[in-house]
Amino acid sequence: MIISKVLIGFISLVYILFVGFEFFEYSYVATQISVLIIPLITLLYFISVKKKTLFFSLFLICYSIPELMLFVKDAMVYQTYYYICNTLCVAAYVFLLIEIYRSINFKEVIKRFKVQVIVLAILSSYMGYVLFKIISPSLSLSVEYILEISYNILILLVLSVSLLNYFYKDDKKSLFLFLGALCIVFSEVINIAYIYIANQNLLNFMFVSLFVLAFFFLFQQSKLEDETEEVLAAG
């Protein structure tokens, strides 16, 4: 309990330092500091959450490794660094998607929410198209291209499935999971704008802040019991 409180305080301090350095336009230092936040949240998860799940644990681990790899980026060939980090991030979202998928009955979801499924499919396709139009001029058809497209498709799938999960369960755990996925998508859209459109400190601040908020929601949902499972167990 004490260790958890210390970690939470340290995470808060790291975020405040990031905001301070970003505000004073020390972007390099701010970036070096910000990469500590997700690994610290992962450590907090393994220390404080009693009922851990395999796929959510793998999601956190796969996302933490690329963050920490920034410290050895200069010692690696850029392409190697790029492939390892992006492959791990893609794997992370696959694990998160499996974590959500395994907790719901998709046949029942499609039966109960046909209209919502169709609307989500249309919106996700449109968002995917917009993201594709933004990044495609900067990438040729290659492994990088496939990784970028896969990454964007996966985050949209995570958002859609988490929303359907919330429709299906309508509890606090599924709400936090959806809010986490929503913040991830918004943060990634801002990150794309930061990388491909306008390299501005404000965009980087918004990207990191939304990403931290996303992992806060995901961490909070990991501490909650699934109310649907509790009802079934009680029955």
Side-chain angles (χ1 to χ4, degrees):
M1 193 67 163
I2 295 174
I3 297 175
S4 298
K5 289 181 178 179
V6 170
L7 265 176
I8 292 170
F10 192 57
I11 291 167
S12 302
L13 176 62
V14 170
Y15 177 72
I16 291 168
L17 287 172
F18 158 74
V19 173
F21 281 112
E22 193 69 61
F23 178 78
F24 288 106
E25 299 187 352
Y26 291 100
S27 297
Y28 177 78
V29 179
T31 301
Q32 296 288 317
I33 291 172
S34 68
V35 298
L36 293 172
I37 297 174
I38 304 307
L40 285 171
I41 292 175
T42 300
L43 182 60
L44 181 63
Y45 169 78
F46 282 105
I47 288 174
S48 62
V49 176
K50 293 181 180 179
K51 194 174 180 181
K52 303 173 187 66
T53 62
L54 173 62
F55 292 109
F56 190 71
S57 298
L58 288 171
F59 162 70
L60 290 174
I61 291 169
C62 285
Y63 225 107
S64 295
I65 294 172
E67 294 287 291
L68 293 173
M69 281 182 66
L70 184 69
F71 294 113
V72 296
K73 180 181 178 181
D74 293 337
M76 298 177 66
V77 176
Y78 176 74
Q79 280 193 319
T80 303
Y81 169 81
Y82 176 87
Y83 290 144
I84 292 174
C85 289
N86 282 276
T87 301
L88 283 170
C89 288
V90 167
Y93 283 126
V94 169
F95 290 133
L96 183 58
L97 192 61
I98 294 171
E99 173 72 13
I100 304 169
Y101 177 83
R102 62 195 284 271
S103 67
I104 57 179
N105 185 333
F106 252 88
K107 287 184 179 179
E108 188 176 344
V109 168
I110 293 171
K111 184 179 179 181
R112 288 172 56 187
F113 306 108
K114 288 180 182 178
V115 176
Q116 290 92 329
V117 169
I118 293 170
V119 172
L120 275 174
I122 293 170
L123 287 174
S124 296
S125 298
Y126 177 72
M127 286 183 68
Y129 172 75
V130 171
L131 293 175
F132 168 77
K133 293 295 286 184
I134 294 172
I135 68 172
S136 58
S138 303
L139 297 171
S140 57
L141 187 58
S142 60
V143 177
E144 290 93 337
Y145 182 86
I146 293 169
L147 280 172
E148 292 288 345
I149 295 300
S150 300
Y151 187 87
N152 291 327
I153 289 172
L154 278 167
I155 62 173
L156 292 174
L157 279 174
V158 167
L159 177 63
S160 299
V161 175
S162 65
L163 181 56
L164 290 174
N165 179 54
Y166 176 59
F167 288 156
Y168 178 62
K169 293 180 178 177
D170 192 20
D171 59 10
K172 196 172 182 180
K173 182 180 177 71
S174 60
L175 175 60
F176 280 166
L177 189 55
F178 166 65
L179 290 174
L182 187 64
C183 287
I184 284 174
V185 171
F186 281 147
S187 69
E188 292 296 348
V189 170
I190 291 171
N191 191 39
I192 287 172
Y194 175 72
I195 294 171
Y196 295 100
I197 299 174
N199 196 262
Q200 297 179 358
N201 287 355
L202 178 60
L203 289 175
N204 192 43
F205 163 74
M206 291 171 64
F207 159 65
V208 173
S209 297
L210 278 170
F211 211 69
V212 171
L213 187 60
F215 273 77
F216 167 77
F217 283 128
L218 293 174
F219 172 73
Q220 289 299 322
Q221 69 82 31
S222 72
K223 298 192 295 182
L224 299 172
E225 292 290 336
D226 193 314
E227 291 180 13
T228 304
E229 289 180 2
E230 286 182 343
V231 171
L232 289 173

